[in-house]
Amino acid sequence: MGGAVFCSIDKLSDIAGETPERTKKDLKKMISSGACPQGHFDRDETCFMVNDETYNEFLQAEREYAARMEEARAEEEKKQADPKETELLTAIEEGNGYLRQIRAVNDALPGEIISVKLDKLENVTARIFDCVRQHPEKLPDIRRFMRYYMPTTLKLVKAYEEFETQPVQGENITKAKQEIERALDTVNVAFANLLDSLFADEALDISADISTLETMLKQEGLTGNDFEKTSGSKLS
């Protein structure tokens, strides 16, 4: 095995000049006789491991793989059962992809000014996706944001990164970077306004609730002078 801690049975049989079945039989004899007391096979006996540590790591990896497969299966079943849920999950996954790419560029750029702008972009974008995750009915409100605004913004961010890596910062590159910085300011304001608009219905509901509450309290004589008069009459 050349010092390796695991090896496929096919490779071992080729090296030994034996059939895979004979190779497995010999390995099992080595385990039982104590020549290789910590030897292990995988479930299908296609791989041999020489010690317990490697075998335990293999079992852990196998369990993690099985868990991922089960999670993926459950996710797929959920998608098939609910098309709207599928659309939401797809949008969230795509959004997270945008965020990862923006963060990667931000981490790579040394400039403080651009970093501040990208921090704001990350923050407001993440909040938009969090809002939609919590309120799936708002997904149609960010379709243009997903289809055009985010891809175009990411394109600008990546272009800035490319300009920044150029060894010579000429007039054209400097001007282009400044234009992108100004554009990011506009984008951040626009995205913040979009986030605010996503809460318009909730704000309207709250205003209606407050108005109703104030009206009922007033009718019951529990506010202002009415409350004082009611309290006084009860005391007398």
Side-chain angles (χ1 to χ4, degrees), residues 115-157:
S115 182
V116 170
K117 298 178 190 296
L118 291 179
D119 284 342
K120 290 181 180 179
L121 179 61
E122 281 186 57
N123 183 268
V124 69
T125 302
R127 290 177 179 271
I128 289 173
F129 290 124
D130 285 341
C131 178
V132 173
R133 184 185 292 106
Q134 296 172 18
H135 304 279
E137 71 278 4
K138 299 182 184 293
L139 182 58
D141 297 336
I142 66 165
R143 285 209 171 98
R144 181 169 293 182
F145 168 79
M146 291 293 297
R147 294 173 181 173
Y148 180 75
Y149 297 150
M150 277 307 303
T152 304
T153 300
L154 181 60
K155 182 179 179 181
L156 292 176
V157 170

Side-chain angles (χ1 to χ4, degrees), residues 27-94:
L27 288 170
K28 290 175 181 178
K29 285 183 179 180
M30 291 173 65
I31 295 172
S32 62
S33 68
C36 188
Q38 294 188 22
H40 296 276
F41 289 92
D42 65 341
R43 190 186 308 275
D44 299 322
E45 296 189 345
T46 60
C47 181
F48 182 72
M49 289 154 275
V50 300
N51 56 47
D52 293 339
E53 181 181 359
T54 302
Y55 182 61
N56 289 332
E57 290 176 354
F58 166 78
L59 292 178
Q60 179 63 27
E62 192 175 52
R63 286 192 292 268
E64 291 175 355
Y65 175 78
R68 289 196 299 270
M69 291 299 99
E70 177 60 24
E71 184 179 349
R73 184 192 63 78
E75 198 68 44
E76 186 62 28
E77 289 181 355
K78 189 175 182 181
K79 288 180 179 180
Q80 293 177 1
D82 188 350
K84 289 185 178 179
E85 182 70 14
T86 300
E87 185 180 9
L88 175 64
L89 293 174
T90 300
I92 296 300
E93 183 178 350
E94 184 178 352

Side-chain angles (χ1 to χ4, degrees), residues 162-170 173:
E162 182 179 0
F163 291 144
E164 186 70 12
T165 59
Q166 299 305 309
V168 179
Q169 300 283 311
I173 290 179

Side-chain angles (χ1 to χ4, degrees), residues 202-221:
E202 284 77 4
L204 187 61
D205 290 343
I206 290 297
S207 295
D209 288 341
I210 292 174
S211 178
T212 301
L213 178 62
E214 289 177 341
T215 299
M216 292 179 65
L217 290 172
K218 187 174 182 180
Q219 289 174 348
E220 293 292 330

